[in-house]
């Protein structure tokens, strides 16, 4: 039988588990919740009796996520993590240290089935969804890792931009959001969280109805359907206007502006006339455009344009009164882009050169 993942339980569910399964008084749930938020293992829950800890170990696991490797950038302190899950699957994440607080990029699935042409996470499809505890566990594990060095520091912002499509693992992701925000949990404000989607329109409406003040990022990457369909299979299921209408609805429902992510790809979507067209399509929408010079994925024949092209694209958007910035590249020396580290480790393991 799979052991229960305690981090995935709400306060009420944990209480029920403590009283019904462990036959313990209710206050024990509070003690356990406190340890869980601090990233302790069951062995380390020292205010529980030894027999109780032994029983708990039989039935449950505290955090199903273990940091297997940490790689810190010498350029900007960005840190990349390789995590191991209980079934042996590997996922990854990256911590960006900003002045306004540490931001952790978390994964929501092992692999991804969306098939975007430029993305390393999707090359072998989706292996499985992550549980809510496995999403939350990434944050808890990284907090613990940071605090070993700096006890006062912790993850302040979260972006659901690692491997996987969050809205393709809807229930676990929504559960994660409620858990991470719980006052007795990590108590991270939903306003400090961004969810990035390739544009699963039906789920975007569902998500807007949850009433969670999360920032929505939409991976747009094109000024029209013709180009978008070349690189994003999801564009065959939902048309450009449909996606924009869903974004507009999200803005109306939450009052928060939408962030459009736009990966600039040489000879495909990065010409100034594409910037013109994009500006026309986005006119009137409360939004910001994040321009990302493509991270080259060696398995794909796609590359970033030169710097001048990137800047000309930005200028043209600004000229048309579209708020936009170029995303700063971080962790260039540590396979910073999503999916790349896991792939490197897996292929090193296959070829027998891995040292993990
Ligand atoms: N599935 C979600 C979230 C994961 S990807 C989504 O599609 O939004 C996070 C962001 O990184 C997305 O905008 C994705 O399109 C982008 N991305 C993936 N591969 C990239 C690459 N090689 N270069 C630049 N951005 C990339």
């Amino acid at each position: 039988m799979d052991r229960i993942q305690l981090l995935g339980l709400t306060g009420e569910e944990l209480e029920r588990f403590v009283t019904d399964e462990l036959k313990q008084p209710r206050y024990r749930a509070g003690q356990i919740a406190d340890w869980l938020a601090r990233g302790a293992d069951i062995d380390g829950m020292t205010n529980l009796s030894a027999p109780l800890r032994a029983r708990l170990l039989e039935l449950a696991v505290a955090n199903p996520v273990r940091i297997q490797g940490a790689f810190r950038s010498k350029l900007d302190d960005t840190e990349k993590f390789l995590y191991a899950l209980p079934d042996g699957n590997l996922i990854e994440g990256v911590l960006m240290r900003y002045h306004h607080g540490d931001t952790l990029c978390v994964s929501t699935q092992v692999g991804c089935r969306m098939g975007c042409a430029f993305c390393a996470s999707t090359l072998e499809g989706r292996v499985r969804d992550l549980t809510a505890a496995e999403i939350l566990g990434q944050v808890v594990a990284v907090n613990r890792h940071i605090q070993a060095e700096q006890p006062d520091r912790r993850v302040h912002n979260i972006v659901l931009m690692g491997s996987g499509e969050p809205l393709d693992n809807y229930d676990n992701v929504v559960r994660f959001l409620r858990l991470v925000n719980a006052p007795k949990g990590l108590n991270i404000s939903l306003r400090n969280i961004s969810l990035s989607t390739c544009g699963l329109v039906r789920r975007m409406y569902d998500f807007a109805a949850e009433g969670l003040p999360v920032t929505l990022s939409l991976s747009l990457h094109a000024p029209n359907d013709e180009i978008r369909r070349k690189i994003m299979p999801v564009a065959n299921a939902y048309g450009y206007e449909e996606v924009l209408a869903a974004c507009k609805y999200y803005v109306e429902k939450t009052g928060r502006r939408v962030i459009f992510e736009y990966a600039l790809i040489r000879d495909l979507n990065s010409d100034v006339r594409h910037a013109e067209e994009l500006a026309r399509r986005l006119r009137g929408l409360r939004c910001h455009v994040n321009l990302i010079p493509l991270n080259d994925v060696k398995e794909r024949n796609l590359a970033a344009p030169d710097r001048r092209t990137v800047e000309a694209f930005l200028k043209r958007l600004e000229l048309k009164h579209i708020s936009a910035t170029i995303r700063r590249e971080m962790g260039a020396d540590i396979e910073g882009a999503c999916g790349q580290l896991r792939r490197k480790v897996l292929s090193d393991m296959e070829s027998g050169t891995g040292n993990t």
Side-chain angles (χ1 to χ4, degrees), residues 118-119 161-162 164-166 196-198 219 221 261 292 294-295 297:
F118 45 80
C119 183
M161 288 190 190
E165 166 50 49
S196 180
T197 178
C198 64
S219 298
H221 304 323
E261 298 181 77
I292 315 156
L294 190 81
N295 282 305
V297 176

Side-chain angles (χ1 to χ4, degrees), residues 296-345:
D296 301 355
V297 176
K298 73 172 180 333
E299 293 83 351
R300 306 285 192 187
N301 224 355
L302 300 170
D306 58 36
R307 191 72 199 175
R308 252 195 22 236
T309 307
V310 172
E311 268 156 23
F313 198 96
L314 173 70
K315 283 254 148 51
R316 190 57 62 102
L317 288 182
E318 285 172 343
L319 200 68
K320 300 285 170 184
H321 308 290
I322 301 287
S323 155
T325 40
I326 299 171
R327 184 185 289 174
R328 192 152 56 99
E329 191 188 12
M330 297 186 76
D333 54 337
I334 51 165
E335 313 278 342
C338 54
Q340 295 187 355
L341 176 67
R342 170 171 170 267
R343 278 193 63 73
K344 184 170 185 305
V345 172

Side-chain angles (χ1 to χ4, degrees), residues 3 6 14 17-33 35 41-61:
R3 287 185 297 167
L6 296 177
L14 184 61
F17 173 74
V18 161
T19 54
D20 299 1
E21 301 288 327
L22 299 176
K23 313 286 182 213
Q24 289 286 315
R26 194 181 298 263
Y27 74 89
R28 291 266 181 232
Q31 293 177 321
I32 295 173
W35 286 116
D41 293 328
I42 291 172
D43 279 330
M45 300 184 176
T46 48
N47 55 0
L48 308 183
S49 70
L52 178 55
R53 271 183 273 158
R55 177 79 183 125
L56 205 47
L57 273 170
E58 273 170 29
L59 295 176
V61 51

Side-chain angles (χ1 to χ4, degrees), residues 33-304:
D34 199 43
W35 286 116
L36 289 172
R38 284 196 268 156
D41 293 328
I42 291 172
D43 279 330
M45 300 184 176
T46 48
N47 55 0
L48 308 183
S49 70
L52 178 55
R53 271 183 273 158
R55 177 79 183 125
L56 205 47
L57 273 170
E58 273 170 29
L59 295 176
V61 51
N63 185 353
V65 178
R66 192 172 53 78
I67 295 181
Q68 172 158 327
F71 311 86
R72 195 152 172 171
S73 167
K74 292 183 182 60
L75 305 174
D76 54 26
D77 251 3
T78 293
E79 195 163 7
K80 184 100 208 199
F81 300 102
L82 190 70
Y83 311 99
L85 303 178
D87 62 359
N89 271 305
L90 298 173
I91 51 170
E92 63 190 279
V94 52
L95 179 74
M96 291 151 285
R97 293 175 164 90
Y98 294 119
H99 292 303
H100 56 270
D102 291 359
T103 298
L104 185 68
C105 175
V106 305
S107 294
T108 54
Q109 295 177 317
V110 182
C112 182
R113 58 174 173 172
M114 295 297 122
C116 299
F118 45 80
C119 183
S121 300
T122 198
L123 288 166
E124 271 122 37
R126 185 195 63 162
V127 179
R128 69 169 174 84
D129 287 337
L130 296 188
T131 62
E134 288 169 333
I135 307 174
L136 186 60
Q138 297 168 54
V139 188
V140 170
V142 169
N143 267 342
R144 201 165 183 203
H145 174 85
I146 305 174
Q147 284 161 5
E149 223 175 76
Q150 289 175 282
D152 296 336
R153 226 171 153 139
R154 62 196 194 101
V155 171
H156 194 255
N157 308 296
I158 296 172
V159 293
L160 295 165
M161 288 190 190
S163 295
E165 166 50 49
L167 297 186
D168 187 39
N169 182 15
Y170 188 88
D171 292 343
N172 288 319
V173 164
V174 169
R175 188 177 180 84
F176 155 75
L177 290 170
R178 297 194 199 282
L179 289 171
V180 77
N181 181 233
K184 288 195 175 139
L186 296 190
N187 197 12
I188 295 181
S189 164
L190 293 175
R191 292 173 195 281
N192 295 353
I193 301 181
S194 296
L195 180 147
S196 180
T197 178
C198 64
L200 297 180
V201 167
R202 275 216 335 262
R203 285 312 203 175
M204 288 168 69
Y205 283 101
D206 293 341
F207 191 61
E210 302 281 350
L212 303 169
V214 166
T215 298
L216 184 72
S217 286
L218 191 110
S219 298
L220 194 56
H221 304 323
N224 57 46
D225 266 328
E226 198 194 334
I227 295 178
R228 200 161 188 261
R229 285 192 195 119
K230 286 188 186 157
I231 46 175
M232 299 182 73
V234 70
N236 296 305
Y238 301 106
Y240 209 85
E241 287 306 319
E242 258 182 297
V243 179
L244 292 187
C247 291
K248 192 156 175 249
Y249 182 75
Y250 195 84
V251 172
E252 282 162 10
K253 267 308 233 205
T254 62
R256 303 181 69 75
R257 69 178 185 173
V258 168
I259 310 289
F260 289 109
E261 298 181 77
Y262 195 105
L264 289 161
I265 307 173
R266 189 193 299 160
D267 299 331
L268 184 81
N269 65 359
S270 53
D271 197 274
V272 282
R273 74 192 145 84
H274 297 134
E276 291 267 353
E277 190 176 0
L278 179 65
R280 225 171 22 247
R281 303 298 287 260
L282 301 186
R283 192 176 299 149
L285 226 166
R286 271 192 67 201
C287 68
H288 179 83
V289 178
N290 218 338
L291 298 172
I292 315 156
L294 190 81
N295 282 305
D296 301 355
V297 176
K298 73 172 180 333
E299 293 83 351
R300 306 285 192 187
N301 224 355
L302 300 170

